[in-house]
Amino acid sequence: QMCIRDSTWHPLGTGLGNDVWEIQVVGDRVYAGGEFNDAGGNLDADHIAYWDGSAWHALGTGVDSDVYGLLVVGSDVYVGGWFSLINTQSIYYIARWDGTNWHPLEGSLNALVRCLAIEGSHIYVGGDFTEAGGETNADHIAYYDITEDDPGWNPIGDGLNGQVEVMVPVGGNLYVGGHFTDAGGISAADYIARWDGSSWHALGTGVNDYVYAIKVVGSDVYVGGRFTAAGGVAKTGCIARWDGSHWNALGSGISNGSVYAIDNQGGALYVGGNFTGAGAVSGADRIAFWSGSAWSALGNGLYRTVHDIEVVGKEDQPKTEVYDVVGSLCENNDKFAVERELPPIEDGDLVA
């Protein structure tokens, strides 16, 4: 479930036992949170673990359910998710690991946490909750000040009218994406909004469906999700760029799925999700990068690492038929090849 890439893909040990929802890289450590309850054979690594370059390690005995948000602040690790029990202690939805023990935060939330972010001393928390530490107008978003003598929860304006999936603080602004269609009374803030420290703002007329990923690069805000249009602009399916006043397409966009992650490195924009198309590029399955002018694949993408397929004993026969080759690699519906020309296949033939 986890790997790294330089010019090729590399596993991190034997990986994790189930899906990963969040990754944080701090120094030589890679922290991962998700649905797994095993990390490289470490059975104490329930839903949270870190990789030190050679092995996976648990944080105590982990938590009792899924981790969706993960944040490393100094020597502390904050996690948010759907959990309610750590060891034998009832800790709901958000917790702090100090390197030795788990601790609750002062006050409580009334529903799950989906994302965490930090700017200065403020830890921003987004999710499904509508109350934070007794603050009844902390609808789906709030912040916790870790430097206060008596730390507590604070609302952000009047909140949002739907769950938050992603938050990115930068330069005094907080960009927020999710399932909402109203931010602090701003009805044009559909699925994406900006908080400037005192007020909510829309980005044009927003997008027309859920936002799962945001990346700010200079004055540009890249947004990914399952939407099919941003501000009514053509070819903005699943990914679009806000330049401060208008929405812009990235080539012909992403197709056949959604975008869940965006990052920027070396002038290229890397995009991950469950899509199988990026522009007109072949092999851009679930991961691709945008150079600023064109889409490219990373190798053969993910779950499509096949370089050749043959019907054993029929290698020299004419390839007159077209097949999808499927099987169970990491899931039950993996496709090893799509629309591959092969000789006629009959019951009992071996495909290698």
Side-chain angles (χ1 to χ4, degrees):
Q1 302 289 333
M2 281 194 68
C3 55
I4 59 174
R5 176 181 168 85
D6 42 34
S7 58
T8 58
W9 289 104
H10 304 276
L12 273 65
T14 55
L16 305 170
N18 210 326
D19 292 344
V20 173
W21 291 107
E22 182 66 283
I23 297 171
Q24 288 276 307
V25 180
V26 180
D28 60 356
R29 290 187 176 185
V30 179
Y31 290 86
E35 298 184 18
F36 55 87
N37 52 23
D38 175 288
N42 190 328
L43 299 180
D44 285 332
D46 288 351
H47 307 285
I48 177 73
Y50 73 87
W51 171 260
D52 66 2
S54 59
W56 285 102
H57 301 271
L59 279 66
T61 55
V63 302
D64 75 331
S65 193
D66 299 349
V67 168
Y68 299 126
L70 171 61
L71 189 65
V72 181
V73 183
S75 59
D76 291 329
V77 180
Y78 293 84
V79 298
W82 207 354
F83 53 85
S84 59
L85 189 69
I86 301 178
N87 290 328
T88 58
Q89 186 178 8
S90 293
I91 300 180
Y92 290 88
Y93 310 122
I94 189 165
R96 176 177 64 89
W97 170 257
D98 67 5
T100 305
N101 297 299
W102 286 102
H103 305 274
L105 274 63
E106 295 294 330
S108 61
L109 305 173
N110 66 349
L112 69 89
V113 169
R114 294 186 180 273
C115 53
L116 302 173
I118 188 168
E119 187 171 48
S121 62
H122 292 177
I123 293 181
Y124 294 100
V125 182
D128 293 16
F129 56 88
T130 55
E131 182 176 323
E135 295 285 349
T136 56
N137 60 338
D139 290 347
H140 305 286
I141 190 166
Y143 75 86
Y144 190 89
D145 194 328
I146 58 176
T147 63
E148 293 178 347
D149 292 335
D150 183 20
W153 291 99
N154 302 271
I156 298 179
D158 293 326
L160 307 165
N161 72 342
Q163 74 189 46
V164 171
E165 295 280 357
V166 58
M167 303 177 296
V168 176
V170 58
N173 291 302
L174 180 68
Y175 292 91
V176 181
H179 298 202
F180 54 87
T181 55
D182 183 289
I186 306 298
S187 60
D190 289 351
Y191 308 103
I192 178 76
R194 177 177 62 88
W195 171 256
D196 67 4
S198 58
S199 302
W200 285 104
H201 303 270
L203 277 65
T205 55
V207 300
N208 69 347
D209 209 340
Y210 300 161
V211 168
Y212 298 124
I214 300 171
K215 182 66 178 181
V216 180
V217 182
S219 60
D220 291 327
V221 181
Y222 293 90
V223 177
R226 77 174 197 182
F227 52 88
T228 57
V233 176
K235 298 181 181 180
T236 51
C238 301
I239 191 163
R241 178 177 62 88
W242 173 254
D243 64 10
S245 56
H246 300 94
W247 287 103
N248 302 268
L250 278 67
S252 54
I254 296 290
S255 58
N256 305 321
S258 299
V259 169
Y260 293 113
I262 306 173
D263 204 357
N264 173 261
Q265 186 176 18
L269 197 73
Y270 292 84
V271 178
N274 64 359
F275 55 87
T276 57
V281 176
S282 175
D285 290 350
R286 301 172 179 86
I287 189 166
F289 76 91
W290 170 254
S291 67
S293 59
W295 287 103
S296 298
L298 274 70
N300 289 327
L302 299 177
Y303 292 165
R304 282 194 66 185
T305 57
V306 175
H307 298 283
D308 193 20
I309 291 179
E310 295 288 354
V311 181
V312 177
K314 298 183 178 180
E315 293 88 344
D316 297 327
Q317 291 187 17
K319 297 178 179 179
T320 58
E321 304 293 330
V322 177
Y323 299 95
D324 285 358
V325 182
V326 302
S328 180
L329 179 61
C330 294
E331 299 174 355
N332 290 327
N333 60 348
D334 290 320
K335 291 189 175 183
F336 297 91
V338 177
E339 298 183 354
R340 182 64 60 92
E341 293 182 355
L342 294 169
I345 299 175
E346 300 173 356
D347 288 346
D349 282 346
L350 177 64
V351 179

